[in-house]
């Protein structure tokens, strides 16, 4: 514990002053006892309150003065909290193939449930951001400690055309750059160290969950190089099986040109199905495991494969936690003031209670 105003400890001198004042009062009473009449002597000889009752209020007051004196010095304690610059960016694939029913009821529903469980399991104070990508990428929730906002956004995810994994990675990097001054944005060139040393490892993490291969935008490996240049690890998750299955999404899972809905989006006809809710013939899904593995290896992360709901939940719960804990000073003045006030109040109340006239 440290003190912001150590000179305020001079207030502790009130404690010995109080003791000196009490000693002076007792000495004065002894002198007065000699001068009073015999009636006063008789009254003084009568039994009074027990000695411990007389002392308890005094010592409570003395302790209160000590506590308040320390509080006046503004004590601070060093506590461990998550770093403000530390974040996990959950980057989720919202391409039309997330309506595949090879994972029941479909991949999107299972991915949403797993993402909610992942968020709720993170420690209090952990910052999490949400990026969704299909034909382009969108930062839906900047890094935040508000778990409710994250789960609400996950419930609103919608499918759309295309799979732009690389754009999702770049969007996640920019989300980290907004809160971590040590990370340049994607539009900034990061020069290599003159001694050839690797970039400093950042306390941030990007998690990419996808069920397919990149079809447009920046190549994922090219985007991953920018993360590697900035010391940001990427953990990639390949979700789904290679079993042919119909694409069936609920009405509230079909969006438009962006992951939150809009014109020109995916529907069942894009995959030979009937109606706007998917269905029709089953299709094989092509998961580009080679690229996902290369992205993870390049940045110091790991590639995982999850073929069902249980495996996906296991992978997310076992992801390395890169939340950096830092020490921060928390002022304790208010607690000392509260404790001092309680002690003073107790001393006064006990003194009044024990000195009240006896009822007859």
């Amino acid at each position: 514990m440290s003190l912001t105003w150590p000179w305020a400890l001079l207030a502790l001198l009130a404690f010995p002053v109080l003791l000196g004042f009490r000693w002076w009062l007792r000495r004065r009473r002894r002198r007065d006892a000699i001068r009073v009449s015999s009636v006063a002597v008789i009254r003084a000889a009568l039994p009074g309150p027990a000695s411990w009752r007389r002392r308890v209020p005094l010592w409570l007051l003395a302790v209160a003065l000590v506590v308040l004196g320390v509080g006046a010095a503004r004590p601070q304690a060093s506590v461990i909290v998550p770093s403000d610059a530390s974040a996990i960016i959950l980057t989720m694939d919202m391409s039309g193939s997330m309506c595949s029913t090879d994972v029941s009821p479909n991949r999107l529903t299972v991915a949403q449930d797993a993402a909610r469980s992942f968020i709720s399991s993170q420690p209090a104070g952990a910052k999490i951001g949400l990026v969704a990508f299909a034909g382009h990428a969108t930062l839906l929730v900047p890094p935040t400690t508000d778990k409710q906002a994250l789960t609400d956004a996950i419930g609103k995810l919608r499918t759309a055309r295309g799979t732009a994994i690389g754009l999702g990675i770049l969007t996640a990097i920019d989300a980290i750059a907004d809160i971590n001054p040590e990370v340049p944005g994607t539009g900034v060139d990061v020069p290599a160290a003159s001694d050839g040393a690797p970039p400093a490892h950042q306390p941030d993490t990007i998690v990419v969950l996808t069920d397919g291969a990149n079809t447009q935008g920046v190549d994922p490996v090219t985007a991953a190089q920018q993360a590697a240049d900035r010391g940001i690890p990427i953990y990639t998750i390949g979700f789904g099986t290679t079993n042919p299955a119909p694409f069936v999404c609920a009405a509230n899972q079909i969006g438009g040109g962006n992951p939150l809905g809009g014109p020109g989006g995916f529907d069942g006809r894009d995959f030979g199905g009937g109606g706007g809710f998917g269905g029709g013939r089953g299709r094989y899904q092509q998961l580009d495991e080679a690229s996902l593995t290369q992205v993870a290896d390049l940045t110091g992360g790991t590639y995982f494969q999850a073929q069902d709901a249980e495996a996906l939940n296991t992978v997310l719960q076992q992801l390395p936690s890169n939340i950096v804990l830092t020490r921060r000073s928390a002022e304790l003045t208010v607690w000392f003031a509260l404790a001092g006030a309680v002690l003073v109040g107790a001393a006064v109340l006990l003194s009044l209670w024990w000195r009240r006239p006896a009822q007859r």
Side-chain angles (χ1 to χ4, degrees):
M1 187 175 70
S2 60
L3 301 175
T4 305
W5 295 343
W7 51 265
L9 290 177
L10 292 174
L12 294 177
L13 294 176
F15 180 60
V17 169
L18 177 65
L19 293 179
F21 180 68
R22 181 173 181 269
W23 174 83
W24 177 79
L25 282 179
R26 293 181 65 183
R27 185 177 180 183
R28 182 178 179 182
R29 286 174 181 172
R30 289 174 183 174
R31 292 177 179 176
D32 291 343
I34 299 174
R35 299 172 184 172
V36 295
S37 65
S38 58
V39 176
V41 174
I42 295 173
R43 288 179 179 176
L46 293 175
S51 60
W52 67 271
R53 288 189 176 185
R54 294 196 303 269
R55 293 173 183 173
V56 167
L58 178 64
W59 283 108
L60 284 177
L61 185 59
V63 173
L65 290 175
V66 173
V67 171
L68 292 173
V70 175
R74 297 182 60 185
Q76 294 185 342
S78 180
V79 295
I80 298 178
V81 296
S83 169
D84 288 338
S86 175
I88 298 175
I89 309 298
L90 189 57
T91 309
M92 299 182 64
D93 186 349
M94 290 294 106
S95 58
S97 58
M98 290 294 286
C99 285
S100 176
T101 55
D102 62 334
V103 181
S104 179
N106 60 35
R107 294 177 181 175
L108 177 54
T109 300
V110 172
Q112 287 174 310
D113 291 342
R116 293 189 189 99
S117 297
F118 170 74
I119 291 169
S120 64
S121 68
Q122 295 305 302
K127 286 189 175 181
I128 304 174
L130 178 64
V131 170
F133 65 90
H136 67 277
T138 305
L139 176 62
L140 301 181
V141 182
T144 179
T145 59
D146 187 349
K147 294 184 178 182
Q148 187 60 51
L150 290 161
T151 54
D152 289 346
I154 288 173
K156 298 176 182 178
L157 290 174
R158 304 290 184 266
T159 56
R161 290 191 181 100
T163 306
I165 301 174
L167 290 178
I169 292 174
L170 295 180
T171 303
I173 293 173
D174 285 334
I176 291 172
D178 287 341
I179 66 166
N180 187 347
E182 300 296 325
V183 176
T186 56
V188 178
D189 292 331
V190 180
S194 57
D195 57 358
H201 180 74
Q202 297 299 327
D204 310 285
T205 302
I206 296 175
V207 179
V208 176
L209 189 157
T210 179
D211 71 340
N214 196 73
T215 61
Q216 60 196 85
V218 180
D219 179 74
V221 178
T222 302
Q225 183 61 58
Q226 295 208 37
D229 293 341
R230 291 160 174 77
I232 303 173
I234 301 177
Y235 295 88
T236 54
I237 303 172
F239 182 45
T241 71
T242 57
N243 301 325
F247 292 173
V248 180
C249 265
N252 63 352
Q253 293 179 323
I254 297 177
N258 64 72
L260 286 180
F266 150 78
D267 62 32
R269 292 169 293 181
D270 293 322
F271 301 94
F277 304 106
R281 300 185 302 274
R283 282 182 46 139
Y284 287 97
Q285 299 305 304
Q286 299 298 322
L287 182 63
D288 189 359
E289 292 189 286
S291 292
L292 295 177
T293 301
Q294 190 173 357
V295 166
D297 292 344
L298 181 63
T299 60
T302 307
Y303 168 67
F304 302 92
Q305 186 185 26
Q307 294 190 346
D308 54 33
E310 182 180 357
L312 180 58
N313 277 286
T314 300
V315 167
L316 286 173
Q317 297 302 327
Q318 292 181 349
L319 285 174
S321 176
N322 284 336
I323 296 296
V324 171
L325 300 177
T326 60
R327 289 191 173 274
R328 184 172 299 170
S329 295
E331 188 162 333
L332 306 177
T333 304
V334 64
W335 298 108
F336 277 81
L338 180 60
V342 170
L343 289 169
V344 170
V348 172
L349 290 176
L350 288 175
S351 179
L352 293 176
W353 176 259
W354 286 334
R355 290 177 179 272
R356 75 189 190 284
Q359 295 181 356
R360 297 183 180 179

